[in-house]
Amino acid sequence: MKSFLNVQDLGNLHQALQEAVEVKQDRFQWQHLGKNKTLLMVFFNNSLRTRLSTQKAAMNLGMNVIVLDVNAGAWKLETERGVIMDGDRSEHLLEAIPVMGSYCDLIGIRSFAGLTDREYDYAETVYHQFLKYSGRPVFAMETATVHPLQAFADLITIEEHKRKPRPKVVLTWAPHPRALPQAVPNSFAQWMNAADVDFVITHPKGYELDPAFAGNATVEYDQMKAFEGADFIYAKNWSCPGVTCPDQYGKILDDYHQMMHWTVDAAHMAVTDNAHFMHCLPVRRGMIVSDDVIEAPTSLVIPEAANREISATVVIKRMLESL
Ligand code: AN0
Ligand code: CP
């Protein structure tokens, strides 16, 4: 595997899930694969889970790891071609990328959406520049439109906790004070569409996900109706994807004070089939979810985060095997 952005990059999903089970049984059995190999993790944005779980995964596989926080100590990078660099950006991404590639064997990138230029974000411009100019296999650690390591961990978690062969999984929008990317819901939708689940998306009008990710999933605008009989509730905020209202791309459509009835609380969970609560974290309590719901025994937020180490181990293992 030379690139990891989408669920299709893993090939047979059932096989990948089986590999995750094997990794979980003994995560250190492929230490030889990473000997004298180096992973470079490049962060343009903050992280807790991705940073720790991906580094741990690489260590499970016997790799060395270098982490670069671009905004904390590196030169400010220009990303546009054809500009006169007389501002505060000292270096161009087009030199920085091959230089980074020369020090490592694999590259993981975190580069969030700018949320101003839909075309630039949805073309995954930064990711593809890394792929093209680094000469190394590259994987997304949340890029402009996707967060596949998260969605893979989410699916592993659902497989571990499902009580029916085909559970009902509901992705629900929830309020947040700041505009957030669509990467997490995009990937979650893509992976759920590929999995054997009954998948429903619920959000206020205007937050329709890009059809490339939402596929044929059922969209139910009545949140309570969507929650009925659900086995898994996956909450996440996202800003306007610009599908039904292109001029609003990356914006919050209504003041969050008006949207607090979308916060997942006990009254919401009461209409489900004793559903598990899920969220990728970091989560704002009182905005996305109430304290009692996230603290309930049915909440999976911690096992879900723990499975990030498993999803990352499978992905890095696959990349090491194809070096
Ligand atoms: C990011 C997002 O919503 O994409 C990262 C989530 C894993 N969240 C925040 O910036 C709060
Ligand atoms: N879920 C997730 O990717 O968390 P971080 O932003 O802390 O890495």
Side-chain angles (χ1 to χ4, degrees):
M1 191 165 54
K2 300 289 185 201
S3 168
F4 182 59
L5 268 188
N6 296 306
V7 65
Q8 293 79 12
D9 296 326
L10 282 182
N12 184 312
L13 187 53
H14 182 76
Q15 230 166 339
L17 286 167
Q18 190 48 44
E19 213 167 305
V21 171
E22 284 163 33
V23 164
K24 213 155 179 174
Q25 279 160 358
D26 176 7
R27 59 198 72 187
F28 305 112
Q29 57 182 304
W30 297 277
Q31 288 247 325
H32 57 282
L33 285 178
K35 190 173 160 35
N36 294 336
K37 297 280 189 290
T38 299
L39 168 67
L40 171 62
M41 303 200 294
V42 182
F43 287 93
F44 288 86
N45 313 91
N46 296 340
S47 168
L48 186 154
R49 278 142 293 274
T50 304
R51 174 183 301 256
L52 298 180
S53 63
T54 311
Q55 180 157 2
K56 177 62 165 59
M59 284 157 46
N60 291 344
L61 295 161
M63 296 188 84
N64 301 309
V65 183
I66 312 175
V67 183
L68 179 69
D69 288 300
V70 175
N71 298 318
W75 302 108
K76 271 206 170 162
L77 294 176
E78 178 58 61
T79 53
E80 299 297 317
R81 232 185 128 263
V83 296
I84 294 168
M85 289 171 56
D86 59 356
D88 61 344
R89 300 180 174 191
S90 311
E91 177 154 25
H92 204 286
L93 202 59
L94 292 176
E95 281 79 53
I97 292 174
V99 169
M100 291 186 221
S102 74
Y103 304 137
C104 64
D105 301 280
L106 302 181
I107 302 183
I109 302 162
R110 167 158 288 202
S111 170
F112 287 0
L115 296 179
T116 52
D117 182 343
R118 186 181 202 281
E119 211 177 316
Y120 183 86
D121 288 345
Y122 272 74
E124 285 290 358
T125 312
V126 174
Y127 181 86
H128 287 296
Q129 284 181 333
F130 269 88
L131 202 55
K132 187 168 172 190
Y133 298 113
S134 71
R136 304 295 175 201
V138 177
F139 60 92
M141 302 195 299
E142 186 171 337
T143 53
T145 64
V146 290
H147 196 0
L149 287 171
Q150 182 65 49
F152 190 12
D154 296 334
L155 179 55
I156 293 167
T157 311
I158 289 170
E159 286 293 315
E160 288 173 341
H161 293 271
K162 68 182 184 188
R163 294 159 304 195
K164 299 169 189 161
R166 192 177 160 81
K168 178 175 177 182
V169 178
V170 179
L171 167 63
T172 182
W173 181 93
H176 193 274
R178 297 196 187 146
L180 293 183
Q182 296 110 41
V184 170
N186 281 346
S187 282
F188 189 72
Q190 184 188 65
W191 287 66
M192 288 305 112
N193 283 328
D196 194 14
V197 301
D198 171 16
F199 183 48
V200 176
I201 307 174
T202 182
H203 54 71
K205 287 220 164 91
Y207 288 100
E208 289 75 15
L209 295 174
D210 190 294
F213 297 103
N216 295 324
T218 306
V219 176
E220 171 56 65
Y221 294 106
D222 181 336
Q223 190 191 27
M224 276 302 194
K225 206 169 156 203
F227 273 43
E228 279 170 18
D231 299 291
F232 294 89
I233 297 296
Y234 193 96
K236 183 72 184 83
N237 172 269
W238 62 90
S239 60
C240 175
V243 173
T244 52
C245 34
D247 53 324
Q248 296 296 309
Y249 173 67
K251 301 261 190 318
I252 296 177
L253 296 176
D254 293 290
D255 188 300
Y256 69 83
H257 294 99
Q258 315 302 318
M259 305 306 288
M260 298 302 279
H261 53 290
W262 279 80
T263 302
V264 179
D265 62 11
H268 286 80
M269 296 305 278
V271 305
T272 68
D273 189 4
N274 196 27
H276 289 287
F277 175 81
M278 298 179 75
H279 188 280
C280 63
L281 306 181
V283 73
R284 290 183 187 238
R285 290 179 176 215
M287 293 283 329
I288 303 282
V289 61
S290 62
D291 291 285
D292 52 342
V293 169
I294 197 170
E295 289 169 4
T298 40
S299 168
L300 292 177
V301 295
I302 307 302
E304 193 183 345
N307 276 333
R308 289 292 306 276
E309 180 185 338
I310 306 304
S311 63
T313 305
V314 173
V315 168
I316 296 170
K317 172 179 170 288
R318 293 266 184 111
M319 290 197 153
L320 287 171
E321 282 166 344
S322 63
L323 275 182

